[in-house]
Amino acid sequence: MFEIFGIPSTALFGQLLIGLINGSFYALLSLGLAVIFGMLNIINFAHGALYMLGAFTAFLLLHYAGVDYWWALVIVPIVVGIVGVVIERLLLQWLYKLDHLYGLLLTFGLALIIEGMFRNFFGASGRPYQIPELLRGGQNLGFMFLPNYRAWVVFFSAVVCFSTWFLIERTSLGATLRAATENPTLVRAFGINVPRMIMLTYGFGAALAALAGVMAAPIYNVSPQMGSDIIIVVFAVVVIGGMGSILGAVLTGFGLGIIEGLTKVFFPEASNTVVFVIMAIVLLVKPAGLFGRRG
Amino acid sequence: MERVVDPLTESESTLRAQSGRIAFAIMVAALIVAPFMTYPLFLMQAMCFALFACAFNLLIGYVGLLSFGHALYFGWASYLSAYSAKAWGLPPALAILTGTATAAVCGLVAGALAIRRQGIYFAMITLALAQMMYFFAVQAQFTGGEDGIQAVPRGKLFGFVNLQNEAAMYIVVLVIFLAGFLLIYRIIHSPFGEVLKAIRENETRAISLGYKTERYKLLAFVLSATLAGLAGATKAIVLQLASLTDVNWPMSGEVVLMTLVGGLGTIFGPVVGAFVILVMQYKLAPLGEWVLVIQGAIFVACVLLFRRGIIGELANRLRIREL
């Protein structure tokens, strides 16, 4: 153990790790928001609620069906993805011709409904979710203690983010998707079923949020308001990064998580607000956002 | 097919032209009679929220800007009004003025930042800035944290009107509400208001006509924030309380809901919406968290099926151009 700027290395790197983990969730969520916004032109206010739904589904599966973490990692995104598809078919598809604002208002209503339901049945208090057997304990790296589960979260979310980027930017499916974002009418004329693509995109975005929720469950307590706590920060992340670029969204997410972690070490009072302050500065200096292509 | 033309008699068409005045007269009459029939405190609270919703509507309804962070102005005005009345011992008029001025300053700063982006980003920026100020309110000493500022003295207006008297307080709130309401009406119908509507319809065209739309948007934002602050500052004196509820994001959502239910871009809609939502909250209070679910369901239903809102729908049925 040694000291940096009078702060013990364990504390500094510990907070850096927490920042990196928060950053993973910011990245996963803002990635989903960006993908959905690209196809549907809707800012999905329910994204936080879907993240919470993911965490809660994992919790319920473990306690009532005995389904462990690893299976939850597979099942939960599929279940929530289907919920997303249903939401898109039932509600969102009627809004595409209207002003963007109605999409925001409707998904805000959805978020209230989902959060309210869970508050009714489970109360406002958080519930713990066990870390899976395989990932308990940690490594002593000398300058810090690295819990295995946290290392896994950072690693796995980086893999998911990279795969999504690869899927959208480097495969033919992604090329069609991007084309449909640019000009849906033309893509439709090529015989591609664009409405189905939009539907699946929302389902995919919902599944990403749910996956983040499952990963978050053992770290934060599972609680009904965990979604609304994080979604506003993610909005600020999206404003800072701009939604034009997938990689931009991911980098901004991880970067802001780390900055937030460092703020916790050096200036703890500001740790809640630092992301918003950075947003204000970015708006002054580069109004289109760091990676923004369009306003 | 032959087009059916509605034969309007002369008296009917003048009635329609006068509909705004008639509606205003009905509203004033109702607000004068109402305290004899129901709780004055509830009505005062409802008038504060009605003014809050009208201020919010000035932005969304007439400039097309969705601010998702109006709790910032309402809540911080509420805090400063309560604090200045309690800790500094300011008389109520000055306390309300302090709160309102705070909201105006916050509106100027937040507005200048938010108008740098359009559409959906504007909504996210206003929400994020409001959340930042919420965290400041949580950490600041003077706000009293979870307890808020309680037992705020109502004091004496201009030194001789004792506001502990419920009737006196009611009249003061009624005057403030009507003054705010008429000011908003005046703004909407001024040349300035016409430019705002032009920006709502087509900002690019307004720019090409030589209007500096940024300045118009900023001024509209500051006016909206200031009036929202007036509502919050008055509420703090009426209920003798300022708390974290007033600055948190559900409050921003609530004012959106009130305006949406009453009718976006209508003059009387926000007032009706505020009363409807508050009555609903009182009636449904025993249901606990279900209120959240019901509010969410109303949001969804309004957006999908009922975008005109109560007053918008009414005006449409009666074929009144503006109500």
Side-chain angles (χ1 to χ4, degrees):
Chain A
M1 198 171 106
F2 53 95
E3 288 193 357
I4 299 167
F5 301 124
I7 287 161
S9 66
T10 43
L12 180 66
F13 286 104
Q15 286 299 345
L16 258 182
L17 181 65
I18 291 174
L20 207 53
I21 288 191
N22 285 337
S24 318
F25 296 128
Y26 297 161
L28 280 172
L29 292 177
S30 57
L31 183 62
L33 275 184
V35 170
I36 291 173
F37 183 72
M39 273 311 272
L40 287 83
N41 259 323
I42 278 177
I43 274 294
N44 185 29
F45 214 121
H47 218 63
L50 293 168
Y51 160 84
M52 180 271 286
L53 193 62
F56 250 104
T57 313
F59 171 82
L60 294 175
L61 280 174
L62 181 68
H63 285 262
Y64 294 101
V67 176
D68 72 357
Y69 175 84
W70 302 105
W71 277 107
L73 223 43
V74 181
I75 297 171
V76 172
I78 296 174
V79 172
V80 178
I82 293 171
V83 171
V85 166
V86 172
I87 290 173
E88 198 278 337
R89 280 295 92 183
L90 232 49
L91 307 169
L92 297 179
Q93 65 154 322
W94 312 107
L95 301 179
Y96 300 142
K97 290 194 183 99
L98 301 173
D99 195 308
H100 297 349
L101 303 179
Y102 285 110
L104 184 71
L105 296 180
L106 187 130
T107 48
F108 178 71
L110 267 178
L112 290 185
I113 294 176
I114 300 173
E115 186 176 327
M117 294 274 206
F118 277 88
R119 277 212 211 175
N120 263 308
F121 294 121
F122 300 97
S125 58
R127 283 141 201 274
Y129 184 97
Q130 292 288 310
I131 292 177
E133 199 91 42
L134 192 67
L135 293 175
R136 283 185 201 154
Q139 316 295 327
N140 193 346
L141 301 182
F143 56 92
M144 70 174 290
F145 181 75
L146 178 67
N148 288 341
Y149 185 75
R150 300 192 167 203
W152 155 254
V153 167
V154 174
F155 166 75
F156 188 58
S157 39
V159 169
V160 172
C161 286
F162 179 76
S163 316
T164 309
W165 169 79
F166 189 82
L167 179 75
I168 291 175
E169 300 285 341
R170 290 289 181 271
T171 63
S172 66
L173 175 70
T176 326
L177 202 74
R178 279 179 288 133
T181 310
E182 294 287 325
N183 193 335
T185 326
L186 201 61
V187 173
R188 230 173 153 167
F190 281 112
I192 289 161
N193 188 342
V194 173
R196 191 176 65 193
M197 219 156 148
I198 292 177
M199 175 185 90
L200 293 176
T201 304
Y202 191 79
F204 177 71
L208 268 184
L211 187 67
V214 180
M215 284 199 273
I219 294 181
Y220 312 119
N221 283 337
V222 180
S223 78
Q225 61 272 16
M226 65 191 284
S228 46
D229 286 346
I230 200 168
I231 191 67
I232 303 177
V233 182
V234 173
F235 278 176
V237 172
V238 164
V239 172
I240 295 168
M243 281 185 291
S245 138
I246 300 274
L247 222 48
V250 174
L251 285 178
T252 316
F254 276 104
L256 285 169
I258 291 171
I259 292 175
E260 204 182 48
L262 286 177
T263 316
K264 243 174 225 155
V265 181
F266 293 106
F267 191 40
E269 295 84 7
S271 61
N272 279 330
T273 45
V274 65
V275 174
F276 303 120
V277 174
I278 293 174
M279 180 190 80
I281 295 169
V282 168
L283 281 171
L284 283 175
V285 180
K286 203 165 181 294
L290 296 180
F291 300 91
R293 275 184 218 157
R294 41 192 172 160
Chain B
M1 208 167 79
E2 203 182 322
R3 210 166 139 228
V4 185
V5 182
D6 185 30
L8 277 181
T9 62
E10 203 173 317
S11 63
E12 260 184 307
S13 61
T14 44
L15 204 65
R16 270 176 198 159
Q18 296 283 316
S19 54
R21 288 202 185 146
I22 298 169
F24 184 73
I26 295 173
M27 182 177 81
V28 175
L31 288 173
I32 291 171
V33 178
F36 298 104
M37 301 162 80
T38 182
Y39 308 107
L41 194 65
F42 169 76
L43 289 169
M44 288 190 264
Q45 192 192 0
M47 279 192 279
C48 292
F49 276 96
L51 179 58
F52 182 26
C54 287
F56 168 77
N57 187 41
L58 178 62
L59 269 188
I60 177 87
Y62 297 94
V63 204
L65 296 174
L66 171 61
S67 159
F68 228 106
H70 253 47
L72 160 55
Y73 318 108
F74 184 80
W76 275 83
S78 179
Y79 271 129
L80 263 292
S81 168
Y83 188 77
S84 60
K86 193 177 180 184
W88 302 338
L90 287 190
L94 283 180
I96 291 175
L97 208 63
T98 310
T100 311
T102 311
V105 174
C106 290
L108 184 65
V109 176
L113 284 170
I115 59 164
R116 296 175 77 89
R117 295 287 280 275
Q118 268 94 31
I120 216 74
Y121 284 100
F122 181 88
M124 291 195 283
I125 293 165
T126 47
L127 176 62
L129 291 173
Q131 189 70 359
M132 178 171 89
M133 291 303 281
Y134 164 75
F135 282 120
F136 283 141
V138 172
Q139 285 169 354
Q141 290 296 318
F142 84 95
T143 60
E146 294 285 335
D147 297 330
I149 305 175
Q150 298 178 2
V152 177
R154 280 186 181 175
K156 288 188 172 150
L157 187 70
F158 308 128
F160 66 93
V161 185
N162 187 359
L163 294 182
Q164 286 300 336
N165 180 339
E166 212 69 345
M169 187 78 240
Y170 189 86
I171 293 167
V172 169
V173 176
L174 182 62
V175 167
I176 290 176
F177 166 69
L178 290 178
F181 183 87
L182 288 174
L183 178 62
I184 290 171
Y185 184 86
R186 196 62 236 130
I187 293 170
I188 295 166
H189 291 89
S190 65
F192 171 72
E194 294 302 326
V195 179
L196 293 184
K197 283 176 232 170
I199 294 172
R200 175 188 68 186
E201 295 306 325
N202 192 334
E203 186 172 354
T204 326
R205 191 173 292 172
I207 294 171
S208 78
L209 287 172
Y211 290 107
K212 295 205 160 43
T213 58
E214 301 252 304
R215 286 190 198 167
Y216 282 88
K217 279 154 76 178
L218 182 58
L219 182 55
F221 196 95
V222 174
L223 285 169
S224 173
T226 310
L227 286 161
L230 177 62
T234 312
K235 192 234 67 176
I237 300 294
V238 170
L239 296 184
Q240 303 179 283
L241 172 74
S243 71
L244 284 176
T245 320
D246 301 333
V247 272
N248 206 355
W249 64 267
M251 183 61 84
S252 300
E254 226 160 76
V255 75
V256 179
L257 183 62
M258 287 170 180
T259 314
L260 189 63
V261 166
L264 297 176
T266 62
I267 295 168
F268 292 92
V271 180
V272 174
F275 274 82
V276 167
I277 296 297
L278 280 182
V279 168
M280 191 198 81
Q281 282 175 349
Y282 270 84
K283 298 275 179 206
L284 297 181
L287 292 178
E289 302 288 354
W290 282 111
V291 176
L292 212 58
V293 180
I294 293 167
Q295 282 190 347
I298 296 176
F299 253 111
V300 172
C302 277
V303 170
L304 285 179
L305 310 165
F306 196 59
R307 277 188 291 278
R308 286 200 189 100
I310 297 170
I311 291 296
E313 200 65 44
L314 191 71
N316 191 47
R317 290 273 166 82
L318 300 175
R319 273 175 266 169
I320 298 167
R321 202 167 56 89
E322 187 182 45
L323 195 63

